[in-house]
Amino acid sequence: MYPLAVIVFAALAVAAALAWWRLRALQRVIRLERATVRLTEAAHHRDVEAFQRRIQAAIAEHRATELREQLLVEAERIVTAEYARTTRHNPRKGDAP
């Protein structure tokens, strides 16, 4: 009976050691996976912020271009009105330059 108990105890000790070793290996894998997720999320956050900055810059540039175009159209309207008003550019009948 005694040798059987030693064999059973040895088998249980080996099983416990294997279970502990596998548990530690699983914990290592889980730590690595969590680190990978943190890095991926940080990279995603960084990329989204960079994308938002690029979009905001493009929108600002687009608005500036529209404003420039509006200013040019308004300036051209003013200049055309001024040219039409002056006799030098729009001589009346009988005016001699």
Side-chain angles (χ1 to χ4, degrees):
M1 184 72 180
Y2 181 72
L4 182 62
V6 169
I7 293 173
V8 169
F9 180 75
L12 286 174
V14 168
L18 286 174
W20 180 82
W21 181 78
R22 292 186 80 182
L23 178 65
R24 298 298 291 176
L26 268 172
Q27 287 173 341
R28 266 191 305 273
V29 168
I30 289 171
R31 275 196 307 272
L32 288 173
E33 287 295 322
R34 286 181 179 161
T36 302
V37 167
R38 281 194 303 271
L39 287 173
T40 303
E41 287 175 352
H44 175 71
H45 184 68
R46 181 200 64 217
D47 292 345
V48 166
E49 284 180 346
F51 177 71
Q52 287 174 343
R53 282 192 304 272
R54 286 178 35 209
I55 291 296
Q56 289 170 352
I59 288 171
E61 183 179 340
H62 180 70
R63 286 181 181 157
T65 302
E66 285 180 344
L67 181 60
R68 266 192 305 265
E69 288 174 3
Q70 289 174 355
L71 289 173
L72 288 174
V73 166
E74 184 64 21
E76 186 175 342
R77 187 188 65 74
I78 291 169
V79 168
T80 303
E82 189 63 24
Y83 280 163
R85 190 181 68 79
T86 61
T87 57
R88 188 175 121 219
H89 298 289
N90 188 13
R92 294 188 190 128
K93 198 174 206 178
D95 289 341

